Amino acid sequence: MTDPDITRPAAADEGPRLLVLTGLSGAGRSTGAKVLEDLGFYVIDNLPPDLLRPAVELNDLQAGSRHLAVVLDSRGGFPLGDLEDHIRALEDAGIHVTLVFLDADDDVLIRRYEEHRRPHPLALGTLAESIATERSMMADLRLRADMYVNTSETNVHQLRNWFAHQLSPLVESHSMRLAVTSFGFKSGTPRDLDLMFDVRFLPNPHWIRELRPLTGRDPAVREHVLSSGDAAGFLDRLRDLLSFLIPRYREEGKSYVSIGIGCTGGRHRSVALAEELAGWLSGRGYHATVRHRDVDE
């Protein structure tokens, strides 16, 4: 297998942005749409072209709105020939539009349909006739495309990696989502962690009477935990490790990383360190959330 044949890679711009994903049925649009969701796009499938501008304007007005991607193809029976006019009108209105066109050779498309035993959306006399008609319908869009991808010799994983690498510049630098979870080993370890760190080596506030009823979110416990030289050393090394790992995860197309920090009960040490780590990640421009699984037990 080889990498996709691509042209005119996208560049990041300021202002409202729309990505239109189109191309021949069977060329990989479903995979592309899923990757776009992983990258932080809000994906709408089969939106009529005349609703593109209202969708972009609504998405842009919403607080914390994400970049918008629309999947358009022959399934909806829309007048795709008018799509270029709609795109030109959007660009005239100051909306940045990136058109991504997925293609594949006829014999490859036929083989894929036969392997998956599903009908072509045009459902004409023969599969070859349906593909030829759809190719003719989309000829102008193919020429208009900002990014053209021929997936004939590309497997699903390569296509996913291509989308992640080529389209990640279209989203904010903090598009990778990081989830920090504190937990107690006595209640078991979370199943969905990518990285897990055990901080039971730190002094336990549970054994200090005035700190026992508090949690790692309280300033007194936080100060007790973080003032430890071992805690400072651990955080320094953890920051160095994440500074190395996160950019490489992103390069490989990973858009979500779950980090777990565990102590004995999940109320003091792990909570304080998870809060500190999430704050540091947010300060670095990442979208970081923190959850304390066992803090109320």
Side-chain angles (χ1 to χ4, degrees):
M1 296 294 181
T2 61
D3 291 333
D5 174 24
I6 62 175
T7 58
R8 298 171 62 187
D13 290 303
E14 298 297 329
R17 180 177 293 113
L18 170 68
L19 186 144
V20 177
L21 178 61
T22 189
L24 296 188
S25 302
R29 284 192 319 272
S30 296
T31 298
K34 291 177 182 177
V35 177
L36 290 174
E37 289 181 342
D38 291 341
L39 286 172
F41 282 82
Y42 182 74
V43 179
I44 302 177
D45 195 8
N46 262 9
L47 183 74
D50 57 358
L51 294 181
L52 287 175
R53 182 167 181 174
V56 173
E57 292 174 345
L58 178 61
N59 184 67
D60 191 52
L61 286 174
Q62 294 174 336
S65 62
R66 293 181 289 173
H67 292 312
L68 179 66
V70 174
V71 181
L72 293 173
D73 52 57
S74 61
R75 288 173 298 164
F78 304 128
L80 294 176
D82 296 338
L83 181 57
E84 186 170 355
D85 293 335
H86 288 286
I87 291 175
R88 187 178 299 109
L90 290 171
E91 292 175 334
D92 290 342
I95 297 169
H96 304 285
V97 181
T98 300
L99 179 63
V100 180
F101 191 97
L102 300 186
D103 196 359
D105 298 341
D106 287 1
D107 60 327
V108 174
L109 294 173
I110 291 173
R111 185 177 71 247
R112 290 174 182 174
Y113 270 101
E114 290 177 344
E115 289 175 350
H116 292 91
R117 297 182 179 276
R118 57 189 179 92
H120 192 280
L122 294 184
L124 299 178
T126 65
L127 181 55
E129 183 181 356
S130 297
I131 292 173
T133 301
E134 186 180 46
R135 188 179 295 282
S136 177
M137 290 170 55
M138 295 190 164
D140 290 340
L141 288 178
R142 181 185 183 279
L143 295 175
R144 167 65 176 77
D146 299 288
M147 307 174 74
Y148 170 83
V149 190
N150 189 306
T151 67
S152 296
E153 298 183 0
T154 304
N155 61 35
V156 172
H157 301 293
Q158 289 170 327
L159 182 60
R160 180 177 291 273
N161 288 337
W162 179 85
F163 266 95
H165 282 289
Q166 296 295 324
L167 299 182
S168 57
L170 294 178
V171 296
E172 292 90 353
S173 61
H174 61 262
S175 61
M176 174 174 280
R177 292 169 292 166
L178 303 170
V180 183
T181 300
S182 71
F183 67 93
F185 281 98
K186 73 175 187 179
S187 300
T189 59
R191 292 186 175 185
D192 58 349
L193 298 179
D194 296 301
L195 301 168
M196 182 172 67
F197 301 95
D198 183 347
V199 297
R200 287 177 291 185
F201 63 89
L202 296 174
N204 192 348
H206 175 81
W207 303 115
I208 300 176
R209 181 184 302 175
E210 60 269 25
L211 298 182
R212 182 178 300 178
L214 305 178
T215 74
R217 291 180 293 200
D218 291 296
V221 174
R222 177 185 174 86
E223 173 64 23
H224 179 83
V225 172
L226 298 182
S227 64
S228 162
D230 284 344
F234 169 76
L235 283 171
D236 285 344
R237 289 163 176 79
L238 181 54
R239 292 177 187 128
D240 285 343
L241 177 62
L242 294 177
S243 295
F244 173 82
L245 288 177
I246 292 174
R248 286 157 180 81
Y249 282 145
R250 180 189 284 138
E251 289 172 1
E252 290 303 314
K254 192 172 180 62
S255 61
Y256 178 84
V257 176
S258 178
I259 304 167
I261 300 179
C263 61
T264 303
R267 285 178 46 82
H268 298 107
R269 294 165 291 182
S270 62
V271 172
L273 288 167
E275 290 280 345
E276 181 72 10
L277 179 61
W280 176 78
L281 290 168
S282 296
R284 302 266 296 185
Y286 294 108
H287 177 68
T289 60
V290 62
R291 178 176 72 97
H292 304 300
R293 191 191 70 178
D294 302 322
V295 73
D296 295 323
E297 292 189 359

